[in-house]
Amino acid sequence: MHELDPAWLGAPGWKEVRAWRRAERVRLIACRAAVPQAERRQRDRLITAHLRAAVPDFAGRHIGFYWPFKGEYDVRPLVRALHREGARLALPVVVKRAAPMEFRPWRPGARMVPGIWNIPIPAEGDPVLPDTLLVPLVGFDARGYRLGHGGGYYDRTLAAMPRRSRAIGIGFEGLRLATIHPQPHDIPMDLIVTEAGALEPRA
C-alpha cells in the first residue's frame, strides 16, 4: 500500500497530482515487470477465473478489450475462448491524440497494424460500441479510480460514449493505492478484478 506524503494532508493541486502520478506510474510499471513469468501465468489464471465468475454472461456480451502492454494481464486467451462461445469483440484505436478512442471489431486472425506505442490494432473495420470494456490498470484505489499510462484516453472515451459501457478494470493487488487523488476528469471503474477477486468500488 502506498503511503501518502504528510505534506498532502490537504487537497493537492493538479500540478502536484500530475507529478505524483508520473512517479507512481514509473514505480508500478517497474514492479509489474519484475514479476517472474511463472507467477504471472498463475496470477493471470486467477484473474480469468474471477472475471468469469463476476460476469457469467460474458459470451452474450459485446466486449471491448485491450492488447497487453508492459506486463499487463494477458486477456487474449480469455477473449479467444469467448469468441468461440459467441461473444463479439473489439479493440480500442487511438484515431487522434488527446481525443476519445474508437473501437474496431476484432476476431482471431484479424489483420493487425501498429498503433500508438506500437500496440497492435485492427487494420480496418467500422467503429462499434461495446457494452462491456475490459480496461487495464497501472494502479487503482478502493473507490474504483484508475491510474493509467497517462494519455487519458479511457477517461475521454467513457465520457464521450452516447451509451455508457460497463467498465471493468483489471490489475494486480500489488498495484493498489490508498488513493490516486481523483480529479474531475477521472471516471471510476464499475468493477475492479485482480488475482484476489472482484472489487465493487465504494463511494
Side-chain angles (χ1 to χ4, degrees):
M1 181 74 71
H2 177 79
E3 295 298 329
L4 296 180
D5 185 330
W8 281 24
L9 292 177
W14 174 232
K15 181 179 178 181
E16 290 81 9
V17 169
R18 187 165 49 192
W20 177 82
R21 288 185 181 183
R22 190 161 46 242
E24 281 299 279
R25 191 174 292 116
V26 171
R27 182 182 72 84
L28 293 171
I29 290 174
C31 289
R32 189 171 68 187
V35 175
Q37 194 62 39
E39 185 178 335
R40 288 188 198 184
R41 288 194 293 268
Q42 175 60 16
R43 197 168 56 178
D44 283 5
R45 285 192 289 268
L46 290 170
I47 290 173
T48 297
H50 293 314
L51 279 168
R52 289 276 199 178
V55 192
D57 63 340
F58 250 146
R61 290 181 172 271
H62 189 182
I63 302 162
F65 70 104
Y66 61 90
W67 207 263
F69 180 62
K70 291 187 176 180
E72 292 168 340
Y73 163 71
D74 190 350
V75 72
R76 292 173 297 183
L78 172 62
V79 297
R80 290 186 184 112
L82 292 173
H83 176 262
R84 293 192 293 271
E85 295 166 23
R88 291 185 296 157
L89 302 163
L91 278 169
V93 176
V94 174
V95 292
K96 182 180 178 182
R97 289 187 180 272
M101 299 181 293
E102 69 177 34
F103 286 83
R104 291 181 189 165
W106 178 89
R107 59 186 298 123
R111 188 168 71 90
M112 306 285 278
V113 296
I116 190 171
W117 299 317
N118 286 319
I119 299 172
I121 60 172
E124 59 242 335
D126 294 330
V128 296
L129 181 59
D131 57 58
T132 302
L133 300 184
L134 303 182
V135 182
L137 308 175
V138 171
F140 68 95
D141 63 26
R143 295 173 63 195
Y145 287 100
R146 67 182 285 273
L147 182 67
H149 284 282
Y153 289 107
Y154 275 100
D155 287 323
R156 292 189 192 95
T157 301
L158 288 167
M161 282 182 163
R163 184 181 72 253
R164 170 69 190 270
S165 301
R166 185 187 188 197
I168 301 174
I170 305 177
F172 308 121
E173 279 300 309
L175 308 179
R176 187 190 291 257
L177 301 167
T179 180
I180 72 154
H181 296 284
Q183 303 298 298
H185 61 269
D186 290 313
I187 297 178
M189 300 289 97
D190 299 300
L191 182 72
I192 288 176
V193 177
T194 73
E195 71 273 24
L199 167 71
E200 291 278 358
R202 66 168 189 256

